[in-house]
Every structure is written in C-alpha cells, then in structure tokens.
C-alpha cells in the first residue's frame, strides 16, 4: 500500500508537488502569522508576562487596566514591607537624551529593586540610590541610540536620570520599560500632589493575604495576570485580529485541500474501478490515498516549519517575530488533521467507484 | 480440485428500462472446463458483457446459481466478491486497463500485494510470466511506453499472477489490428493450455475463433453451442 502510494507520487510529480506547494505556503503563512502574533504579544506585554507575579490588585473602576488604576501611597503604607506583596508604579513618559536632545518614549516602572519584581540585569549594573536617580531599561532602548551612562531628562519633574544597566524582554504597550526605585518614582510627583502607585502585585497565590489586602484597601479587585495583559491598551485588539486571520487561513486550507483531493480522486475514479475489478478493496484504495496525503502533509508542513525557523533567523530585528515551537507544533497538528479530513471527504467517491466500469470501457 | 471451476445455473438477469423490464439473461446455463478456451459471440446488446460481468463476480444475478470452485457466490456481498475476483478470477479487459504509474513488473506485484502474497515465490512467478508473454526485456518500463499489443500481454500476465482457475477476457482484441489480435489470442490459448485454466472470451472478431475450443452464441438471453464444420475441422487439426 505504502510503496504504491509513493510510486504514484513519483510518477505524477507535477500534480503532487503543486498540492504540496499549496500546503507548504498555507502552513508557512499560518506560522508567520502566529510568529507575528507571538512577537507582537511579547513586544506589547513582555514586562507583565515575565513579571514574577501571580495577581494584581487594581482599582475597581480600572477595567483591568494598569494605567487607569491608582492607589495613594499613604493607603499602601500598611502593606509595604511584605515580601510577597509589592506596590508598582507605572507611567508612560517621554524622556529627552541630554546630549542629543532626542526624545525617547518609555514606560517608567517604579519598584523596589531588592524585591522579587526586579528583572535580571543583563548589561551594566543594577539601580543604586546612592548614585542619584538611575534607570535600568529594556535593551530595545539601545536601538534608539541609548547607551549605559547616557543621561535622560524628564521635563515635568525636572529630574535627570542616568542609565546604569539594561535588562531584556521588558516592554509594556510597545515601549521599553525603564525601571526606577521608589525614591525616584515618588520624586516624579510635584510636591503638592499625592504620591500614588498603580497596583499591588502578589508573588504567589495566598488567599488570606489577598483577602487581607481587599479589606484594608477598599475599592479594589484582584485581577489575574492574563486579564491584566489583556487590559494593556491595544493588546486584545491586536491578538484578536491576528487570530481571526489564522482561523480564516485554516478554514481556507480546509476548502482548498478538500477541493484538490476531491478533484484528484474524481479524476482517478476509473482507475479505482479497474483496481476494484481485479480485486482491490475499498479499505486498500482509501488507505493508499490517505497515505499519500500523510506523506504530502509531513513533507510540506515540515518544510514550512524549517522555513519559519530560517525566517526567524534572517528577519530584521525591527519586526516582532517570535518562533514558538510549541505553538507551531499545534498549528502543524491542526493543518495535518485538516488535510486528512479533506482526503477522507473524497473517499466517498472511492467507495462509489464501480468495478463494472472496467468492462468494455475504452481507455 | 474440480474440473469445472466456473458453472452458471439457471442464471436470470433483468434490467429496468424505463417502465419496462428487459430480461437480458434468461435461464442461462454454462460451464467452463479447465484447459479450454471458450469464445462467446453475439451482437451488441445481446448480453455478452452482462454475462461476463456476472461470471466475473462484478454483478449479481437476479436468479440462479453462480458457482465458482464449487461455491455459490450469487449472494455474496461486495467484499466477499472482491476476494473471489482477487483469488479465483483473472481478467483481461478490452482496453488493457493497466495502472499508468506502475512499471510492467510492478503491475504484477500490485496484484500479488493485494492478495498479500508478494514473496520470493511470487516474484519468481512474475518473472516467469513476463518471460512467457515475451516481455521480460520490458519489465522495468512504464506502461505509457508500451504498444497496444504489449499492454495486452502485460494484462494477460497480470490476469495469471494470482494463479486463478478462471480467466475472463472481454473483447481483448478490440483495440488491436488483426495480426496483433491473433498473436494475443494465440498467447491466451497457449497460457490456458499450459497452465490448465478455464478461460472464457467474449468477442465479435470471427477471425480469432480458430484458437478457441468451444464457441457459443448469445441469443435471446441464452447460449447455444455453435458447431460448424470449419471450427470442428480446425480444432481437430490443431489437436493432432
């Protein structure tokens, strides 16, 4: 059965490679879009995704949006010292590079650099209060020409920060996150204004502690990490539109592949009739058709996976493309099942093929 | 093993033609004996092909018994009939109906594969069969490179591959010129004699009848044995 399928593919090279190419391109496109969805998602939310946090305590009216939530610093004083709880301040700012007058957008995040929230510094040193206001920023800031030792000026508060280190995979709403300590954070606020933080983060699930926070600080709700990520402006819209494209692509794949396999089976109906006349059974004929589809799918989808991996390597850094092998395997599986399904639909015409056709029929 | 691998008893076949029922085979009786090549003649529409389809387990009769190797297969289901076709019957079609994407040798291998018996022994048989139909040198060619006569030779070899007791040929010479026709029929006759098979050939080509042991004519849904001086003479001449 297997060798028969292979021989047919080898003999009708053009026919089968056409279908193979369609499958390859559909699969490659699915992988590219899923890679983009992945890349955009991490470009948008990696600081939250990679944050060592279980849940976020947010304002009741904030709609799970970090930027809308506010807690006064005074209210927070009760819980300040807990190792499992940390207040986080977050604000989008434009900073001016002192030497070149160039402006860069960052999401400034005020945290305790000695707490579980501080990401690993990959280059330079960590935040030290002794050296004045310092920043550890996401390394995507380097692409905008910022280096260690550069001074960044914030107009409203009239503070100049020094970049002392870089970390990686820390972005929020497509901007690099700049980590500052609480002192720097609190200095951002003019003296007449109350100092506030956006959220309280809990590291590990702890029901008692969470309830405790809820009763101490009124008008707040605990939000899961995933909900907070969805609350990042634009995140959900971005992911949903890409996901819709993926869903449509797979539906298109179902129809295109089914149509192709159907036409090919119809074309071979006489052949099936002859084979039945000399004693081949339905199971054998359907089996050899399915084997062909399996061979085709494995080759085409495999090639598409390779293509996506190469693309990841050669893609310019500016395009957020992240090749997630797990996700790609899932989509490969879906495409594989889709093509088998398409082939199974045409097996009805194999069953219907009449061995009597072989009698008295001119070739 | 019985000497009569194929026997039709009181076969009846009716076709629906609009409102009317047309009885195409009427109480038909027929026997095929090992080592004999039987020709069935008759005008178009007389039911020759229907008869062959029933004899070949492709069609079920509406009445009567269809006995292959002592078993009545008239009421077998599709799968059982496929098995009968695979193991007990070899076909030679009007158009050779070979598989286009297989080499000559693989055409024979396919039939053995279907029966699940591709091994050294059948491999050897395939080689011998190709030799005996004179195509050993073409074993590794694709069908599209063969002439009509050569294709029909492959079909003959294929029909014998699973060592069936019955060979059925449906106008095997229809697409060949007269010289090629007699070659092919001579070959069928030779194989039938050598391998002791029961063979039935439907044809309307009178020129090849000299190779046949018995000639039946299809008329009014029944078969009648034709005995003309000419054929009797030829048969006698050939056997002596």
């Amino acid at each position: 059965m297997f060798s028969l399928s292979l021989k047919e593919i080898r003999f009708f090279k053009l026919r089968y490679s056409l279908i193979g190419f369609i499958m390859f391109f559909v699969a490659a496109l699915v992988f590219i879009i899923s890679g983009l969805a992945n890349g955009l998602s991490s470009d948008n939310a990696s600081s939250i995704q990679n944050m060592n946090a279980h849940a976020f305590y947010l304002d009741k009216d904030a709609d799970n949006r970090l930027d809308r939530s506010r807690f006064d610093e005074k209210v927070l004083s009760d819980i300040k010292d807990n190792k499992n709880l940390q207040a986080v301040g977050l604000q989008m700012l434009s900073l001016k590079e002192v030497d070149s007058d160039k402006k860069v957008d960052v999401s400034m995040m005020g945290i305790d650099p000695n707490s579980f929230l501080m990401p690993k510094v990959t280059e330079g040193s960590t935040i030290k209060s002794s050296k004045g206001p310092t920043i550890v920023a996401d390394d995507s800031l380097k692409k905008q020409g910022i280096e260690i030792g550069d001074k960044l000026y914030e107009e409203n508060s009239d503070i100049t920060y020094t970049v002392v280190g870089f970390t990686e995979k820390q972005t929020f709403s497509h901007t690099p996150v700049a980590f500052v300590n609480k002192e720097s954070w609190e200095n951002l606020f003019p003296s007449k204004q109350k100092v506030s933080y956006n959220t309280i983060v809990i590291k590990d699930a702890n029901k008692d502690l969470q309830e405790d926070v809820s009763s101490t600080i009124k008008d707040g709700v605990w939000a899961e990490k995933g909900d907070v990520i969805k609350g990042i402006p634009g995140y959900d819209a971005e992911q949903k539109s890409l996901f819709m494209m993926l869903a449509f692509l797979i539906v298109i794949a179902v129809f295109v592949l089914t149509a192709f396999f159907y036409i090919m089976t119809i074309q071979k109906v006489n052949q099936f009739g002859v084979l039945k006349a000399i004693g081949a059974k339905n199971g054998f004929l359907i089996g050899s058709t399915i084997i062909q589809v399996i061979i085709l799918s494995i080759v085409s989808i495999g090639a598409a996976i390779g293509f996506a991996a190469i693309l990841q390597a050669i893609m310019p850094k500016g395009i957020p493309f992240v090749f997630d092998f797990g996700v790609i395997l899932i989509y490969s599986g879906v495409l594989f099942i889709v093509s088998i399904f398409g082939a199974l639909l045409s097996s009805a015409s194999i069953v219907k093929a009449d061995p009597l056709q072989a009698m008295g029929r001119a070739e | 093993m019985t000497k009569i691998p194929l026997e039709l008893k009181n076969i009846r076949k009716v076709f629906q033609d609009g409102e009317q029922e047309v009885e195409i085979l009427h109480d038909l009786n027929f026997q095929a004996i090992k080592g004999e090549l039987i020709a069935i003649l008759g005008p178009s529409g007389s039911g020759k092909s229907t008869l062959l389809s029933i004899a070949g387990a492709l069609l079920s009769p509406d009445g009567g018994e269809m006995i292959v190797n002592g078993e009545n297969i008239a009421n077998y289901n599709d799968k059982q009939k496929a098995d009968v076709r695979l193991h007990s019957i070899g076909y030679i079609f009007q158009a050779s109906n070979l598989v286009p994407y297989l080499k000559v040798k693989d055409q024979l291998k396919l039939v053995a594969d279907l029966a699940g018996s591709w091994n050294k022994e059948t491999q050897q048989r395939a080689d011998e069969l190709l030799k005996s139909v004179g195509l050993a040198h073409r074993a590794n060619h694709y069908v599209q490179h063969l002439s009509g006569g050569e294709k029909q030779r492959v079909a003959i070899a294929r029909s014998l591959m699973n060592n069936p007791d019955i060979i059925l040929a449906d106008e095997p010479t229809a697409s060949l010129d007269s010289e090629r026709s007699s070659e092919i029929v001579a070959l069928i006759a030779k194989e039938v004699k050598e391998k002791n098979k029961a063979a039935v050939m439907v044809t309307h080509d009178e020129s090849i009848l000299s190779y046949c042991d018995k000639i039946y004519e299809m008329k009014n849904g029944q078969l009648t044995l034709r005995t003309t001086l000419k054929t009797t003479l030829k048969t006698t001449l050939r056997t002596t």
Side-chain angles (χ1 to χ4, degrees):
Chain A
M1 206 191 282
F2 185 73
S3 75
L4 186 74
S5 309
L6 263 186
K7 275 173 193 154
E8 186 170 7
I9 292 178
R10 215 161 46 196
F11 189 79
F12 294 113
K13 286 182 203 81
L14 182 69
R15 195 180 293 177
Y16 283 94
S17 48
L18 279 177
I19 298 183
F21 268 112
I22 288 179
M23 240 194 221
F24 166 77
F25 283 118
V26 169
L29 193 52
V30 167
F31 297 160
I32 288 171
I33 291 179
S34 88
L36 278 180
N38 245 324
L40 280 173
S41 138
S42 88
D43 194 49
N44 205 344
S46 63
S47 67
I48 307 295
Q49 283 166 346
N50 298 330
M51 191 180 271
N52 192 5
H54 168 70
F56 296 73
Y57 193 65
L58 297 171
D59 237 1
K60 232 176 203 163
D61 312 321
D63 285 342
N64 287 346
R65 282 181 62 166
L66 276 179
D67 52 332
R68 281 188 187 162
S69 173
R70 284 272 177 286
F71 293 111
D72 277 356
E73 195 258 343
K74 274 179 196 146
V75 187
L76 299 175
S77 53
D78 298 342
I79 51 121
K80 246 180 180 173
D81 296 326
N82 197 304
K83 274 190 180 159
N84 204 6
L85 283 175
Q86 279 291 324
V88 174
L90 182 74
Q91 197 179 346
M92 314 285 276
L93 288 174
S94 276
L95 303 177
K96 193 155 65 177
E97 219 270 297
V98 173
D99 294 334
S100 61
D101 264 6
K102 200 180 142 193
K103 283 208 164 179
V104 290
D105 289 327
V106 297
S107 296
M108 191 166 277
M109 207 179 260
I111 56 163
D112 177 358
N114 299 316
S115 74
F116 60 87
L117 290 177
M118 188 63 194
K120 211 178 139 205
V121 177
T122 53
E123 198 183 332
S125 59
T126 187
I127 305 164
K128 282 190 193 99
S129 40
S130 57
K131 287 186 179 167
T134 51
I135 282 178
V136 167
D138 179 67
D139 58 1
S140 60
L141 207 57
K142 281 201 264 186
K143 271 182 263 163
Q144 301 183 49
I146 306 296
E147 289 164 12
I148 288 177
D150 281 358
K151 307 242 183 275
L152 299 172
Y153 175 71
E154 206 281 309
E155 269 173 331
N156 288 337
S157 55
D158 193 25
I159 299 175
T160 305
Y161 300 90
T162 311
V163 178
V164 293
F166 285 112
T167 177
E168 54 181 19
K169 291 179 183 151
Q170 294 290 334
T171 52
F172 182 84
S173 196
H174 297 296
T175 55
V177 171
F179 291 95
V180 294
N181 63 14
K182 289 194 167 170
E183 197 188 333
S184 303
W185 172 258
E186 284 164 17
N187 286 335
L188 267 178
F189 295 85
S191 50
K192 281 177 195 163
Q193 204 180 316
K194 278 187 209 160
V195 171
S196 69
Y197 285 87
N198 295 63
T199 180
I200 301 160
V201 174
I202 189 164
K203 189 183 168 194
D204 302 307
N206 185 335
K207 224 177 168 188
D208 294 342
L209 194 57
Q210 279 171 272
E211 273 170 14
D212 205 24
V213 172
S214 306
S215 57
T216 327
I217 306 167
K218 297 284 175 218
D219 294 330
V221 282
W222 282 103
E224 297 284 319
K225 199 178 192 177
D227 295 328
V228 174
I229 290 171
K230 277 186 197 151
I232 297 173
Y235 183 89
D236 221 20
E238 234 170 55
Q239 292 296 310
K240 271 186 183 155
S241 50
L242 285 170
F243 186 74
M244 195 186 74
M245 281 191 217
L246 277 178
F248 263 81
L249 253 181
I250 287 170
V251 172
I252 290 169
V254 174
F255 279 88
V256 170
L257 292 176
T258 308
F260 259 87
F261 293 140
Y262 184 67
I263 291 167
M264 213 151 79
T265 312
I266 290 287
Q267 202 191 17
K268 292 197 296 187
V269 158
N270 286 327
Q271 188 77 63
F272 290 133
V274 172
L275 287 173
K276 278 187 184 180
I278 60 173
K281 292 181 191 74
N282 285 327
F284 179 89
L285 298 174
I286 293 171
S288 62
T289 306
I290 299 289
I291 285 176
Q292 285 177 348
V293 174
I294 291 175
I295 295 172
L296 266 185
S297 310
I298 289 175
V299 171
S300 323
I301 296 175
I305 293 177
F307 176 75
I310 292 169
L311 210 61
Q312 158 92 330
I314 60 166
M315 198 78 116
K317 280 266 185 278
I319 301 175
F321 181 87
V322 176
F323 180 92
D324 181 341
F325 198 68
V327 173
I328 281 186
L329 270 190
I330 291 172
Y331 283 120
S332 306
V334 170
L335 286 172
F336 187 71
I337 291 167
V338 158
S339 52
I340 301 269
F341 173 76
L344 275 178
L345 277 188
S346 51
S347 59
S349 23
I350 297 180
V351 175
K352 269 188 253 160
D354 191 351
L356 264 180
Q357 278 175 320
M359 283 284 181
R361 190 187 63 85
E363 218 167 8
Chain B
M1 250 325 167
T2 163
K3 257 202 89 189
I4 307 168
L6 176 70
E7 191 173 7
L8 303 180
K9 277 187 189 163
N10 311 103
I11 291 290
R12 203 175 145 261
K13 182 74 191 172
V14 179
F15 279 118
Q16 202 74 35
D17 183 18
E19 296 278 290
Q20 259 185 321
E21 276 195 346
V22 181
E23 196 177 49
I24 194 133
L25 299 179
H26 173 72
D27 204 18
L28 182 140
N29 290 291
F30 175 75
Q31 280 185 343
I33 299 162
K34 277 192 178 173
E36 269 190 1
L37 174 57
I38 297 169
I40 296 177
L41 285 169
S44 302
S46 59
K48 300 177 304 222
S49 286
T50 306
L51 172 64
L52 207 66
S53 299
I54 290 174
L58 290 166
L59 210 60
S60 292
D62 292 323
E65 281 175 53
M66 152 80 199
I67 295 154
V68 172
N69 284 332
E71 280 202 49
N72 183 9
I73 68 156
N75 297 315
Y76 272 25
N77 65 26
D78 283 351
K79 210 169 172 180
Q80 289 170 309
K81 280 197 285 188
D83 263 330
V84 172
R85 292 200 291 271
L86 184 60
H87 296 285
S88 310
I89 299 170
Y91 284 96
I92 303 161
F93 298 108
Q94 182 173 350
S96 51
N97 280 341
L98 300 171
V99 183
Y101 51 84
L102 292 180
K103 289 175 181 168
V104 168
K105 201 173 170 184
D106 291 329
Q107 303 281 347
L108 303 193
K109 179 172 179 279
L110 170 67
V111 192
D113 268 342
L114 285 173
S117 63
W118 184 243
N119 50 34
K120 270 205 176 137
E121 191 194 328
T122 45
Q123 215 165 327
Q124 207 182 344
R125 183 152 82 234
D127 289 338
E128 278 166 15
L129 279 172
L130 283 182
K131 214 176 184 179
S132 84
V133 297
L135 280 178
H137 61 294
R138 296 291 241 170
N140 285 314
H141 284 69
Y142 281 111
V143 179
Q144 58 185 4
H145 302 305
L146 303 182
S147 70
E150 283 174 324
K151 280 184 195 168
Q152 214 50 298
R153 282 165 193 267
V154 178
I156 293 168
R158 179 175 72 175
S159 70
L160 291 160
M161 186 59 209
N162 276 349
N163 210 7
D165 294 313
I166 307 156
I167 301 290
L168 300 177
D170 181 26
E171 310 214 15
T173 60
S175 51
L176 303 174
D177 60 50
S178 61
E179 206 175 317
R180 223 52 64 201
S181 295
S182 28
E183 265 178 45
I184 290 299
V185 179
L187 182 63
I188 295 175
K190 182 191 103 176
E191 297 291 341
V192 164
K193 295 275 162 349
E194 269 179 18
K195 301 194 165 63
N196 199 29
K197 309 289 179 198
V200 181
M201 176 172 72
V202 161
T203 187
H204 52 242
D205 185 356
E206 301 259 347
S207 69
I208 57 173
L209 295 179
S210 53
Y211 296 98
C212 303
D213 300 299
K214 272 186 198 149
I215 297 154
Y216 283 96
E217 270 181 73
M218 190 86 192
K219 225 180 248 173
N220 303 326
Q222 283 189 315
L223 288 174
T224 41
L225 190 63
R226 182 209 271 189
T227 34
T228 61
L229 183 63
K230 197 172 131 206
T231 47
T232 332
L233 189 68
K234 279 218 172 160
T235 322
T236 336
L237 277 175
R238 255 184 336 110
T239 42
T240 46

